[in-house]
Amino acid sequence: MRRIFIFVIVFTFFFSIASLHSAMPIQAQANSANDLIIAVNSLRANNNLTAYEVDNSLMASAQQHAEYMAEINQITHAREDGSSPSTLGFIENIAGGINLTVQVVVSSMWTDALHWNTMVGIPFGKVGAGVAVKDGMVYYVLQVQRIESGLQAQPTINYQITPDPDLISAVMTATPQLDGSIIHEVQDGQSLWAIAIAYKITVADLIQWNSLLPTPVIFVGERLVVQIAPTPTVSPTITNTSIPPTRTITPSQTPITPKPTATITPTPTPSPQPPFSIYNMERQQRQRIGWGMAAISLMGLLFVVIRGFIRK
């Protein structure tokens, strides 16, 4: 009987524990909104970017939208009143899943170009985050509002300070570097505005050139750029062009009129004239000569005949 009683007590105890465990709701594994912001700013630091500044209004807006998505069990950018991130003036990343963690969201789900730009595509910005859990589903919201850039993102400070002549005179201007820039080493008792007045620049110039805070504090021995190197102007290279030699003008030749070649006309050789010509004689003279020649011929004939008879 006693054993049966002990068995009933033990059975009842374990049954109660099992019933209690089954009645407890399943708690989803989720990170906080602050964990989401830390993960995003860590990613920005790895990309040499300034951390987002946490904004309370964005935190409230992001948490409200995370709870709205959990309520309707839907992942959406649309609000209940019909507004959207673009109409509200910020950009937004959202995600949802069972037992979803911040590491999975940042490293896996938001790696596309659009979501990645929200986290590391903005140089300066404000951020808010929200997380909601319902029925094992975890909903994450990240809202970012862009700030212009650099000094424009810092609060405006009115530098209305009456300079102290003693401190101004204590600032000795430095010699320009080889590139034209001037570096000033802060000495004891010098202030930022005194240095600015000594170099005839503004405090805003010193803040911009040296990446100082909006309310800067300088220290003895700190080196400040008080004049940036001028941008060199590229001068065109002058190429010496050789002067071409002067062309000598050759005078045109005047055509020479050919001289006529002298034609040698042969001089007619006179025909030899006989010692005398009967044609140039008178009639009587020709008769006389004829009779004379006849007489001579007759005498020759007689001589021949006579000589022939003698030989006989």
Side-chain angles (χ1 to χ4, degrees):
M1 186 67 179
R2 184 177 180 182
R3 291 180 179 179
I4 296 173
F5 179 74
I6 294 174
F7 176 76
V8 171
I9 293 176
V10 173
F11 178 78
T12 304
F13 174 76
F14 282 104
F15 180 78
S16 300
I17 295 297
S19 299
L20 180 62
H21 183 269
S22 61
M24 292 178 60
I26 299 175
Q27 298 293 328
Q29 297 179 0
N31 298 106
S32 65
N34 188 48
D35 293 332
L36 178 56
I37 294 176
I38 292 174
V40 171
N41 280 336
S42 176
L43 180 64
R44 291 178 60 80
N46 293 336
N47 288 272
N48 299 321
L49 293 171
T50 305
Y52 283 146
E53 177 186 347
V54 178
D55 185 81
N56 291 332
S57 61
L58 291 178
M59 290 291 291
S61 174
Q63 184 60 38
Q64 181 181 2
H65 188 57
E67 293 175 357
Y68 173 70
M69 291 193 300
E71 181 182 351
I72 64 175
N73 193 24
Q74 183 180 356
I75 302 173
T76 177
H77 288 289
R79 271 64 177 170
E80 185 177 5
D81 59 358
S83 60
S84 63
S86 59
T87 60
L88 296 174
F90 52 77
I91 55 178
E92 182 179 74
N93 284 3
I94 56 177
I98 297 176
N99 295 332
L100 192 61
T101 63
V102 164
Q103 191 63 32
V104 174
V105 171
V106 175
S107 302
S108 299
M109 300 183 68
W110 288 348
T111 55
D112 60 283
L114 186 61
H115 292 90
W116 192 260
N117 181 70
T118 304
M119 297 186 292
V120 297
I122 300 175
F124 300 93
K126 299 179 182 180
V127 69
V131 180
V133 181
K134 183 179 180 182
D135 299 333
M137 286 286 292
V138 185
Y139 300 89
Y140 291 96
V141 177
L142 179 73
Q143 295 178 356
V144 176
Q145 190 174 41
R146 183 187 300 269
I147 299 176
E148 290 301 325
S149 63
L151 292 175
Q152 298 177 3
Q154 306 297 338
T156 303
I157 300 175
N158 186 13
Y159 294 97
Q160 294 182 351
I161 306 174
T162 303
D164 187 348
D166 295 333
L167 289 179
I168 295 176
S169 61
V171 178
M172 298 180 63
T173 57
T175 304
Q177 306 293 314
L178 293 178
D179 60 355
S181 63
I182 299 178
I183 307 298
H184 176 82
E185 185 173 344
V186 179
Q187 303 297 323
D188 186 22
Q190 295 180 354
S191 61
L192 199 65
W193 55 264
I195 296 173
I197 293 175
Y199 287 95
K200 298 180 181 180
I201 56 177
T202 64
V203 175
D205 292 334
L206 289 173
I207 294 175
Q208 181 179 3
W209 296 343
N210 297 277
S211 301
L212 302 176
L213 296 175
T215 54
V217 178
I218 58 177
F219 305 94
V220 176
E222 185 174 358
R223 295 169 62 83
L224 299 176
V225 178
V226 294
Q227 177 176 306
I228 59 177
T231 303
T233 303
V234 180
S235 301
T237 304
I238 300 175
T239 305
N240 294 326
T241 305
S242 58
I243 301 174
T246 304
R247 182 180 178 183
T248 304
I249 300 175
T250 304
S252 302
Q253 295 183 354
T254 303
I256 300 175
T257 304
K259 295 181 179 179
T261 304
T263 304
I264 300 175
T265 304
T267 304
T269 303
S271 300
Q273 299 290 332
F276 59 91
S277 176
I278 64 174
Y279 297 100
N280 296 327
M281 295 180 181
E282 294 292 337
R283 181 179 178 87
Q284 292 179 0
Q285 289 178 348
R286 289 198 300 267
Q287 288 179 355
R288 291 173 183 176
I289 292 173
W291 288 112
M293 291 180 65
I296 293 172
S297 297
L298 180 59
M299 288 176 67
L301 178 61
L302 292 177
F303 177 77
V304 172
V305 171
I306 294 171
R307 190 168 179 89
F309 283 114
I310 294 173
R311 287 183 181 180
K312 294 179 176 183

